[in-house]
Amino acid sequence: MDGLRAFGANYTEFTRRFASWLGLHSTDAVALVEILYAEDKGTPLSPARLSERVSLSSGATAILLKRLEQAGHIVRTRESTDRRVVTLRSSPGIRPRAEAFFGPYAERMAEALAAYSPQEIRRFEDFIGHLSSTMDALLDHEYRGGGPASGTP
């Protein structure tokens, strides 16, 4: 668990430095990274899904998206047959900058992963998936009100 916490802290620090490098607030950079990551996976985000991913209210997310759009980092598109659905995309100018920043990170992570067999990677993915679903269940149930349901501060 210590290793996972340290990795999470380091990933957060990468995102903070990405924000600084772009001259953005850290929350804006987190949102931008989420948009880029979702695009890379082939599952672009809606504003509502981004709001969930970055733990902001819909109003705060709307303000954040306006800042990112005005800075030229994202565009909102209507790609669905349901024209009410908005899709968030990175702008053409931000992707090369993100790749320049995160390129060394991606290369080093690929080198680190190359030391493990596909079976070991799958087992680790299963482990991380199980930890994530356990945390999701805790947050959805025992910690729904902000803290443990049975505990007192």
Side-chain angles (χ1 to χ4, degrees), residues 51-83:
S51 179
E52 293 170 5
R53 296 287 310 143
V54 297
S55 299
L56 290 176
S57 69
S58 59
T61 301
I63 293 167
L64 177 149
L65 290 173
K66 185 175 181 179
R67 283 194 306 266
L68 288 175
E69 199 169 36
Q70 288 176 338
H73 298 319
I74 66 157
V75 293
R76 299 179 215 213
T77 63
R78 297 192 187 277
E79 302 170 15
S80 172
T81 54
D82 180 347
R83 302 303 292 165

Side-chain angles (χ1 to χ4, degrees), residues 1 9 11-12 14 30 34 41 50 59 77 97 107 119 124 126 130 136 141-142 144 146:
M1 292 306 294
Y11 186 82
T12 299
F14 267 95
V30 167
E34 288 291 334
K41 286 179 29 181
L50 177 65
T77 63
R97 295 177 75 192
E107 288 171 16
Q119 296 82 7
F124 183 69
D126 289 344
H130 185 75
D136 288 343
H141 301 289
E142 288 89 340
R144 179 176 294 276

Side-chain angles (χ1 to χ4, degrees), residues 91-126:
S91 67
I94 197 62
R95 181 153 299 275
R97 295 177 75 192
E99 289 171 355
F101 184 88
F102 285 106
Y105 170 87
E107 288 171 16
R108 293 279 179 89
M109 291 298 113
E111 288 171 11
L113 289 170
Y116 298 91
S117 72
Q119 296 82 7
E120 289 174 306
I121 297 294
R122 275 192 297 281
R123 187 152 163 82
F124 183 69
E125 287 173 338
D126 289 344

